[in-house]
Amino acid sequence: MTLLFVYGSLRRGMRNASLLRKARLIAEKAWISGALYDTGYGYPGLVAGSKRVWGEVYQVTNQELRWIDQLEDYHGNGNPDNLYERITVTVRSPDRQYTAYTYVYVDADGLKERGTVIPEGDWVDYVRSRR
């Protein structure tokens, strides 16, 4: 079973959620440690940090994971063309803990300089508050 933690445009109600329409939702209110930034391009970037970043956990197939890899511009670990790296993280929910994949922004320093921090760590709330 492959678990995926999503925190941005793949979450329910967001523009890329359809890529996970057949995936099984495991946890709808979950979090990891990190820092979330608005990239300015309509999607967030996750970098290392100590705040909560909110998202959802899905059980995905290998094909769904490949689709998400393409969306995230991930070409394999350490590839210099990656926009994001896929890593394994500990995800928490109110009643469980999971180990799942997620995607972290490669150019963390650049994102911190030019991006806008999302203080509450919740992309969905952030997007809705800006409408």
Side-chain angles (χ1 to χ4, degrees):
M1 171 168 58
T2 300
L3 297 181
L4 178 67
F5 175 79
V6 299
Y7 54 83
S9 70
L10 290 162
R11 287 179 65 188
R12 289 177 303 147
M14 296 289 100
R15 73 169 192 240
N16 291 312
S18 64
L19 290 174
L20 294 174
R21 70 184 173 279
K22 293 183 180 179
R24 182 173 165 229
L25 178 64
I26 301 294
E28 64 180 301
K29 188 168 183 89
W31 67 89
I32 62 171
S33 293
L36 200 60
Y37 285 80
D38 182 346
T39 63
Y41 299 112
Y43 55 86
L46 171 68
V47 298
S50 59
K51 296 188 176 197
R52 282 188 180 181
V53 173
W54 295 92
E56 301 157 0
V57 178
Y58 288 88
Q59 181 179 353
V60 296
T61 65
N62 289 337
Q63 180 59 52
E64 288 164 331
L65 191 59
R66 283 191 293 273
W67 291 335
I68 306 306
D69 284 347
Q70 288 177 7
L71 173 72
E72 303 295 356
D73 211 0
Y74 169 76
H75 308 282
N77 286 338
N79 187 308
D81 294 329
N82 286 348
L83 181 59
Y84 288 86
E85 285 288 341
R86 181 171 15 111
I87 65 167
T88 302
V89 292
T90 299
V91 184
R92 292 174 175 80
S93 71
D95 59 343
R96 290 212 39 207
Q97 182 171 302
Y98 307 91
T99 299
Y101 286 130
T102 199
Y103 296 86
V104 294
Y105 204 78
V106 170
D107 184 14
D109 291 337
L111 183 58
K112 289 176 184 178
E113 286 178 18
R114 73 176 185 290
T116 302
V117 69
I118 301 171
E120 300 304 317
D122 190 320
W123 177 251
V124 173
D125 286 350
Y126 176 79
V127 167
R128 289 181 179 155
S129 73
R130 298 175 60 92
R131 288 184 182 159

